[in-house]
Amino acid sequence: MARISDETRARNEEAIRAAMDRLLRGELPPGGRADLKTLASEAGVTRTGFYPKKNRDGTTRPGPYQHLAEEFERRLKALQDAGEIPDPRDGQIARLKASNAELRERLARRDATIMELTEFQTLALSRLAAQHDEITRLRKALEHPENITTLPVRARVARGTHGQ
């Protein structure tokens, strides 16, 4: 690939910086994002200029605009850390993740409530079944009065005369 002149490189860097400022302000083109691909497209340069290159001997050298890519990433991260999200899709993703986490918590609470209510229902049904069995047993006992012993009734003590 042919080397570019210093003048062309300077023009390209200006275009990259201008595009960087627009993207970080949230002025994204339709279908664009706050990323290196959109930055390169908006500046009119190839994206490969943002990445390191390999020399013929296997060593690496920085890409012509790699320092600008690093600056862009740093500034983008600083904005995100400050709570500003220039890419509305990133904001939407963050909101959806928060909503998803909230729904998962609600679902866990609902599942716990259902489990508690199921345990309560099982206990209530077993108590009702035991009470029904006892009522049935007592009714059968009433059918055979010879099995019933009548208890003596105590005479009631008149009020006010007790203990005098």
Side-chain angles (χ1 to χ4, degrees), residues 54-70:
K54 284 205 180 224
N55 294 319
R56 290 187 177 161
D57 63 359
T59 60
T60 59
R61 69 180 190 282
Y65 312 118
Q66 185 174 347
H67 64 287
L68 293 174
E70 292 166 356

Side-chain angles (χ1 to χ4, degrees), residues 132-150:
H132 179 266
D133 290 345
E134 180 66 10
I135 290 170
T136 304
R137 185 187 66 75
L138 292 172
R139 283 186 179 155
K140 282 187 181 180
L142 282 175
E143 292 174 3
H144 304 286
E146 65 275 2
N147 293 337
I148 299 175
T149 305
T150 306

